[in-house]
Amino acid sequence: MDNARLHAAAKAVRDAGLDALLVGPSADLRYLIGYDAHAMERLTLLVLTADGEASLVVPELEAPAARASGAAELVELVVWTDTEDPIAVVHRLLTTAGRPGAVAVSDRLYSVFTLRLQAALAGTTFHPSGPLLGPLRIIKSPAEQAALRAAGAAIDAVHAAVPTLLRPGRTEAEVGRDISELILAEHDEVAFIIVGSGPNGASPHHAISDRVLQPGDAVVIDIGGVRDGYCSDMTRNYAVGALPEGYAELHAVLAEAQEAAVRAVAPGAVPAEIDRAARELITDAGYGDRFIHRTGHGIGIEVHEDPYIVATNTTPVAAGMAFSIEPGIYLPDRFGMRIEDIVLVTEDGVERVNHGPREVLVAG
Ligand code: ZN
Ligand code: ZN
Ligand code: ZN
């Protein structure tokens, strides 16, 4: 990692007319300096001034981890001990040239720190960091796009093995443990595992339970991992032995809706319209009120990040953005279904990073 991201962030601070940016442990910190800091009661804080001075305030016991991350090559480490007040350390860094008029503070900084910083810097106005860092993170560089493609191929490989795991008599938890091993064989970390069998599939963020798979169950499998810092996220639908009644027709509608939304993606396309492309077909089939979430979310170093593909988002997408297209239909007490691929906006259209078959696979 070079200084380009810190330079761009410092420029964003200047362009916004602010004096500094304060970033605690978060994806923003990983993005800026590659350090996956531990969020806890001891303060770790990147202090980036408008003129590009970057310091990382770190607790003494975390300093070795900060150095090992390589962050010390990008920023000056300012180490504090357990008998010092880290807020006073930050105050000192920020007031060398007088009290700052306005600073941005990261969206994920614990309020216990933000409130103390506000008290220590009375008269300084505090702004959210999202408007500064969001536009930087939302456009993926060629290297980031390659990482997302590799993560996509990795989760494709996991899904390819899922049919062998689904048999009557196994629990969702047992299937989930096997999937966890498969994810780790292809990724560095497991991000999440959803095995929604039968009625559990009707709850979009159901994780896993001790429910035993039954013949005739539909199973929603939505899984993701982290590979070289970038996330995968992919959903496919399976059935145990046979499809439940009424399922095949509905799944055909869903597949068409997902395809329509993917086809609606291109530079300049509006997220609200991409969402509508999927929603319209599901609504026409009579299930509009059973598609109970937005069509997609951005993805990168976080599973959910900007841009959100939702009816209220009218900011056009641009080449280099990456997000999911994942319409779903959920019938309470019966089953659910969702088809999810990650797509990249290219210079002239769209590219999927997931290629596994989208039809329902009957296993067991
Ligand atoms: Zn989700
Ligand atoms: Zn997703
Ligand atoms: Zn997902």
Side-chain angles (χ1 to χ4, degrees), residues 250-273:
L250 217 49
H251 193 275
V253 171
L254 181 66
E256 235 186 282
Q258 203 256 1
E259 183 66 34
V262 171
R263 274 201 310 264
V265 177
V270 174
E273 292 299 313

Side-chain angles (χ1 to χ4, degrees), residues 205 222 233 297 304 326:
H205 274 177
D222 184 356
D233 181 6
H297 54 82
H304 287 188
E326 52 176 309

Side-chain angles (χ1 to χ4, degrees), residues 19-327:
D19 298 299
L21 169 67
L22 310 177
V23 181
S26 58
D28 285 336
L29 189 68
R30 280 188 277 131
Y31 177 79
L32 290 172
I33 62 171
Y35 175 35
D36 191 4
H38 186 183
M40 57 170 176
E41 79 287 1
R42 292 184 175 96
L43 177 66
T44 293
L45 193 72
L46 171 70
V47 178
L48 177 66
T49 64
D51 55 18
E53 286 295 319
S55 315
L56 184 69
V57 175
V58 283
E60 188 172 30
L61 79 170
E62 299 289 320
R67 284 198 189 89
S69 76
E73 289 150 38
L74 298 174
V75 298
E76 192 188 336
L77 290 196
V78 180
V79 177
W80 63 275
T81 70
D82 274 350
T83 56
E84 282 180 286
D85 175 12
I87 300 296
V89 174
V90 175
H91 183 269
R92 201 159 59 234
L93 286 170
L94 283 173
T95 53
T96 47
R99 184 182 56 75
V103 298
V105 63
S106 67
D107 300 350
R108 306 279 168 86
L109 188 65
Y110 288 165
S111 58
V112 68
F113 299 129
T114 306
L115 293 171
R116 287 173 63 201
L117 286 164
Q118 284 180 316
L121 293 162
T124 298
T125 57
F126 281 65
H127 300 264
S129 66
L132 278 65
L133 297 178
L136 303 182
R137 281 181 49 189
I138 202 169
I139 302 293
K140 271 63 183 179
S141 69
E144 291 182 292
Q145 293 179 36
L148 283 165
R149 277 186 206 103
I155 205 70
D156 262 334
V158 177
H159 266 290
V162 164
T164 63
L165 309 177
L166 301 175
R167 285 188 302 279
R170 303 199 77 201
T171 65
E172 289 176 358
E174 285 167 345
V175 173
R177 273 194 292 277
D178 290 344
I179 289 176
S180 164
E181 272 177 38
L182 292 168
I183 291 176
L184 287 174
E186 304 280 343
H187 301 72
D188 307 312
E189 279 171 53
V190 175
F192 61 91
I193 296 174
I194 295 174
V195 180
S197 70
N200 289 342
S203 169
H205 274 177
H206 170 79
I208 50 172
S209 77
D210 289 328
R211 186 178 181 280
V212 176
L213 301 189
Q214 316 282 331
D217 271 353
V219 189
V220 182
I221 306 265
D222 184 356
I223 51 180
V226 186
R227 190 184 179 283
D228 291 337
Y230 284 78
C231 299
S232 62
D233 181 6
M234 176 181 178
T235 312
R236 290 294 185 264
N237 304 292
Y238 300 86
V240 182
L243 295 176
E245 207 183 297
Y247 186 96
E249 299 81 342
L250 217 49
H251 193 275
V253 171
L254 181 66
E256 235 186 282
Q258 203 256 1
E259 183 66 34
V262 171
R263 274 201 310 264
V265 177
V270 174
E273 292 299 313
I274 300 169
D275 179 85
R276 202 171 58 85
R279 202 166 300 276
E280 203 164 57
L281 289 167
I282 293 172
T283 303
D284 288 350
Y287 294 91
D289 63 336
R290 301 284 88 227
F291 176 13
I292 55 176
H293 54 70
R294 63 192 176 212
T295 290
H297 54 82
I299 189 166
I301 59 175
E302 289 183 286
V303 179
H304 287 188
E305 56 181 53
D306 281 332
Y308 292 98
I309 308 305
V310 60
T312 50
N313 185 358
T314 54
T315 306
V317 301
M321 290 186 187
F323 46 85
S324 70
I325 296 291
E326 52 176 309

